[in-house]
Amino acid sequence: MTIEITVDGEPVAGLDGQTVAGVLLAAGRKSWRTTRSGAPRGVFCGIGACFDCLLTVNGVPDVRACRRRAADGDEILTQSREDA
């Protein structure tokens, strides 16, 4: 079954059961967070041990995209280190 999430206001299609990171990677997005220096970050470890893939999901900041299953209607916002 297909799902649709929004990422910074843009619709992105995914498959039921995919992680948020999986949906973003399948859509061609390699990064969705920046560090204080502006360096891009996305999936690094893919198992939830690091914090490179953080984003905001439905108003909750610092969600690890590799660990959170995407749900139809999720509202995703990218983060920068200045947001913290």
Side-chain angles (χ1 to χ4, degrees):
M1 175 166 68
T2 60
I3 62 169
E4 184 175 279
I5 63 174
T6 58
V7 181
D8 294 332
E10 295 183 28
V12 178
L15 297 174
D16 189 35
Q18 281 184 303
T19 62
V20 173
V23 172
L24 294 174
L25 289 170
R29 295 193 65 170
K30 295 181 181 176
S31 66
W32 47 84
R33 184 178 77 81
T34 57
T35 63
R36 283 189 181 119
S37 68
R41 292 290 186 261
V43 172
F44 179 71
C45 74
I47 60 171
C50 76
F51 296 90
D52 274 358
C53 66
L54 296 178
L55 39 68
T56 299
V57 179
N58 301 325
V60 178
D62 300 329
V63 174
R64 288 183 240 184
C66 69
R67 304 225 2 132
R68 168 73 159 62
R69 298 252 181 237
D72 195 45
D74 277 347
E75 293 185 25
I76 310 294
L77 297 174
T78 55
Q79 291 186 182
S80 69
R81 187 61 184 139
E82 288 78 35
D83 295 340

